[in-house]
């Protein structure tokens, strides 16, 4: 098992796999309300069976090279994660996403973890365009996109039906050359190792 240190004491990024189903469910239970403000992840993981099924779907995406999910552990507790919901290596595109339970927010964990997976996608997998889709009201996630050097491209109006309402979705992205420039320019990069 490998773990990537995130440059904050006790914080590590590791693959999140079907055998973590119980731990994943407990984590989602701790963050159900907070995580579910703008995304349906908690609704997809109501119990142990669905938790395992969700992680199994990502295991299959990894096996077919069409997505990845990684967990963020803080002092041995699973507190969040980052993912590529979809990845198209032939096209050179991927859509990244993230979540945290509330006790882990405000520490830079997701920004640091996102840098690790975007580095991997760009430098090891030749991905050219990383997308970030976010509800217009989700300021913390929009702030992550900004910290990652992404550019806002536009708004997909009323794209996402969630909890009885249709949400406008902002599309942010970073292209491989922009990512390399951002990596070279941002001094906080040093801390991520
Ligand atoms: C989106 C979400 C993951 C953002 O969490 P976050 O804690 O704000 O993001 P980070 O882990 O990158 O941390 C950034 C915060 O840590 C602070 N921070 C401290 N050290 C930092 C560092 N070295 N680098 C970056 N940020 C740092 C930042 O100032 C920021 O805090 P602020 O918002 O008070 O200014 C979180 O709000 C969440 O889980 N929301 C629910 C699920 C969701 O909506 N996911 C996104 C779907 S698009």
């Amino acid at each position: 098992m490998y773990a990537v240190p995130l440059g904050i004491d006790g914080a590590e990024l590791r693959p999140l796999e079907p055998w973590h189903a119980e731990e994943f469910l407990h984590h989602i239970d701790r963050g159900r309300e907070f995580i579910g403000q703008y995304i349906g992840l908690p609704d997809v993981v109501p119990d142990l069976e669905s938790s395992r099924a969700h992680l199994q779907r990502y295991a299959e995406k990894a096996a077919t090279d069409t997505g990845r999910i990684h967990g963020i552990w803080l002092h041995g507790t699973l507190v969040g994660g980052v993912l590529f919901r979809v990845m198209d290596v032939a096209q050179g595109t991927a859509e990244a996403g993230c979540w945290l339970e509330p006790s882990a927010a405000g520490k830079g964990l997701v920004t640091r973890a996102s840098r690790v997976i975007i580095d991997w996608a760009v430098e090891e997998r030749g991905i050219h365009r990383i997308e970030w889709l976010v509800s217009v009201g989700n300021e913390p996630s929009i702030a992550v996109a900004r910290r990652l050097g992404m550019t806002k491209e536009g708004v997909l109006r009323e794209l996402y039906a969630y909890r009885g309402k249709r949400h406008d979705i902002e599309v942010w992205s970073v292209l491989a050359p922009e990512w390399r420039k951002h990596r070279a320019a941002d001094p906080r990069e040093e801390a991520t190792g």
Side-chain angles (χ1 to χ4, degrees), residues 10-12 29 42 45 47 58 61 76 79 86 111 113 117 131 141 147 149-150 154-155 158-159 180 182:
E12 287 181 339
D29 281 343
V45 183
D47 54 26
Y58 270 91
K61 288 187 193 200
V79 294
V86 288
T111 299
I117 64 164
E131 290 184 346
S141 177
R147 277 194 294 273
M150 293 187 167
V155 177
E158 300 192 0
L159 177 75
R180 292 190 183 109
H182 173 77

Side-chain angles (χ1 to χ4, degrees), residues 75-145:
H75 301 297
T77 301
L78 177 62
V79 294
V82 288
L83 52 74
F84 288 120
R85 194 182 67 82
V86 288
M87 227 175 106
D88 184 334
V89 178
Q91 272 296 317
T93 58
E95 182 199 327
C98 67
W99 75 95
L100 286 172
E101 61 181 70
S103 67
K107 303 178 198 297
L109 287 169
V110 148
T111 299
R112 286 162 183 259
S114 299
R115 286 180 188 138
V116 173
I117 64 164
I118 296 173
D119 269 346
W120 173 80
V122 169
E123 304 300 350
E124 290 187 45
R125 305 306 317 285
I127 297 292
H128 181 71
R129 173 188 164 87
I130 309 283
E131 290 184 346
W132 192 269
L133 268 59
V134 51
S135 283
V136 291
N138 193 349
E139 280 303 330
S141 177
I142 290 168
V144 174

Side-chain angles (χ1 to χ4, degrees), residues 5-22:
L6 289 177
I8 293 174
D9 186 36
E12 287 181 339
L13 190 68
R14 304 180 204 160
L16 185 53
E17 297 176 338
W19 63 273
H20 291 119
E22 204 169 333

